Amino acid sequence: MLRDSYGRKIDYMRISVTERCNFRCAYCMPNTPMRIGDESEDVPLESVLNFVKVAIAEDVKKIRITGGEPLLRTNIVSFIAAICKMAPEIDIALTTNAFLLAPLAKDLKEAGLKRINISLDSLKKERILCISKRDGLENILQGIQAAHSVGLKIKINMVPLKNINEDEILDILEYGLKMGIMVRFIEFMENTHAKSGIEGLNLNEILFKIRQKYDISPFEKEIFGPALLFKISSEEIAQKAGIKTERDYVFGVIAPHNDDFCKSCNRIRLSSEGKLIPCLYHENAIDIKEAMLRGDTQEIFENLKLCVETKPEKNDWDTHSTSKRAFYQTGG
């Protein structure tokens, strides 16, 4: 079992399998050339499994596969199947922009994938193109529908940006409401790789937009995630959205700028470069690429333990406004 120096149990690993992405989102990597290497430059997935084996032996309960765009890896389905074969009880999830998802959804589900987070920053074709530099809305919506049809548990992630898509917060919320899918709004995390001048909405600004139509109340914090959860009553949904349901609708806001955001953090990250990262904001990292390539489980374990021991108490967004971290390498 892994515990950091603040007593937090670390049982959640986020693994970036590539820094390559087919989108160039304004808040992530807008100025990165479309071609940033090919699959031969990614750490081989069989080598990443050497890390996964150690993590599972240390009682890790959840693994999230990220990127870049993880569905660009040609063997991603067999990689997920290998993890599930190693530990059938593992809660394995994936984060994707869904552009390539529709034809893979059934195979991913059968391989053992349980959860999928899908980025959806707009329901307007021209805005998706503006934000991501890709005409991708149709593919995204098809991917969501395919994942929903095969029974994957879905969460939709939206990054609200001022003067870009902030007027769609309610539209995205109601899209999720109608689909029976949780929506999570993510505060823009300032970083040097983002488009200059963009500005996100904070927790209170997001909730203000939603309260223009719905009465909402705090619910709880995500058990396996960083979001603050809020609910809309079934009566409100029937009255104001015209949808009859016996269940309240729950949505989330991920607010890394909040003081208590880090208190229950149970995760560390493996970057696409093969570096262990104890905190998304901090620059420190431990390179285990060569150990993974060699299959040196003892060295992997020692560095994993060191990474956990050096995990900071909290991020630095309260003292530094901008991160130098490339989120497309760490998976956000």
Side-chain angles (χ1 to χ4, degrees):
M1 182 183 297
L2 300 167
R3 285 192 181 275
D4 68 10
S5 58
Y6 301 95
R8 294 172 296 197
K9 182 180 178 181
I10 308 302
D11 57 2
Y12 177 9
M13 299 289 158
R14 294 178 64 100
I15 299 174
S16 175
V17 294
T18 185
E19 68 176 53
R20 294 177 295 119
C21 188
N22 46 3
F23 282 15
R24 289 293 176 270
C25 293
Y27 49 78
C28 182
M29 55 189 299
N31 301 316
T32 306
M34 267 296 180
R35 181 168 178 79
I36 51 170
D38 55 41
E39 187 154 20
S40 66
E41 298 175 23
D42 294 328
V43 177
L45 293 178
E46 58 267 25
S47 298
V48 180
L49 286 172
N50 292 327
F51 168 76
V52 172
K53 185 185 300 182
V54 174
I56 290 173
E58 292 305 308
D59 207 27
V60 165
K61 303 296 186 187
K62 181 177 180 179
I63 293 174
R64 177 170 292 281
I65 310 302
T66 69
E69 173 47 53
L71 297 185
L72 288 173
R73 294 301 302 260
T74 55
N75 295 319
I76 192 67
V77 173
S78 58
F79 174 67
I80 289 171
I83 295 175
C84 293
K85 183 177 180 181
M86 195 183 300
E89 74 285 355
I90 200 83
D91 185 357
I92 186 163
L94 182 141
T95 296
T96 177
N97 60 35
F99 189 82
L100 301 171
L101 178 58
L104 290 172
K106 184 173 183 291
D107 291 341
L108 289 165
K109 172 70 172 177
E110 291 177 351
L113 187 69
K114 295 179 174 64
R115 305 172 187 269
I116 193 162
N117 286 13
I118 297 172
S119 298
L120 180 65
D121 291 318
S122 176
L123 290 168
K124 298 180 179 180
K125 180 178 180 178
E126 66 277 9
R127 284 191 180 171
I128 290 292
L129 178 59
C130 173
I131 294 168
S132 70
K133 298 184 180 180
R134 193 73 184 248
D135 184 6
L137 180 60
E138 183 177 349
N139 283 49
I140 295 169
L141 296 180
Q142 288 175 353
I144 293 171
Q145 188 59 56
H148 191 262
S149 297
V150 300
L152 284 166
K153 295 180 180 178
I154 304 170
K155 291 176 184 174
I156 289 172
N157 292 338
M158 178 196 187
V159 180
L161 302 172
K162 291 185 178 179
N163 303 314
I164 297 177
N165 65 348
E166 62 179 311
D167 61 334
E168 289 191 79
I169 287 175
L170 275 171
D171 293 337
I172 296 287
L173 180 75
E174 291 181 338
Y175 172 81
L177 196 159
K178 291 171 184 175
M179 291 281 290
I181 296 172
M182 178 188 285
V183 172
R184 300 190 307 175
F185 301 99
I186 304 176
E187 288 184 347
F188 166 58
M189 292 179 276
E190 297 84 355
N191 69 96
T192 57
H193 300 269
K195 182 179 179 180
S196 176
I198 67 169
E199 186 179 354
L201 279 72
N202 63 33
L203 169 67
N204 290 331
E205 290 170 325
I206 293 167
L207 296 180
F208 177 81
K209 294 274 189 182
I210 297 171
R211 287 188 173 115
Q212 297 306 295
K213 183 170 183 178
Y214 294 105
D215 291 329
I216 62 176
S217 57
F219 186 56
E220 59 184 23
K221 194 174 187 302
E222 276 188 321
I223 298 173
F224 288 117
L228 298 170
L229 299 183
F230 302 87
K231 68 177 180 179
I232 303 171
S233 71
S234 57
E235 292 83 4
E236 277 271 305
I237 295 168
Q239 180 184 352
K240 297 179 179 179
I243 300 172
K244 292 184 178 180
T245 176
E246 295 180 358
R247 295 184 178 182
D248 298 340
Y249 179 73
V250 176
F251 68 93
V253 181
I254 297 176
H257 301 85
N258 273 22
D259 289 339
D260 64 349
F261 179 75
C262 302
K263 287 182 180 179
S264 60
C265 183
N266 63 339
R267 68 195 69 88
I268 62 172
R269 292 166 170 82
L270 177 68
S271 79
S272 61
E273 300 174 305
K275 294 179 180 178
L276 283 171
I277 299 169
C279 175
L280 181 61
Y281 184 93
H282 290 259
E283 299 300 311
N284 53 318
I286 301 170
D287 196 333
I288 65 165
K289 180 178 178 179
E290 291 302 319
M292 288 195 298
L293 292 173
R294 294 194 311 270
D296 189 335
T297 55
Q298 183 60 33
E299 184 177 341
I300 293 171
F301 167 72
E302 290 172 358
N303 282 301
L304 176 58
K305 185 177 178 182
L306 177 62
C307 180
V308 171
E309 290 172 350
T310 57
K311 182 175 173 66
E313 182 179 13
K314 60 182 296 187
N315 65 46
D316 280 346
W317 261 296
D318 57 345
T319 55
H320 301 285
S321 61
T322 304
S323 172
K324 295 179 181 179
R325 178 78 70 195
F327 295 147
Y328 60 88
Q329 293 175 333
T330 61

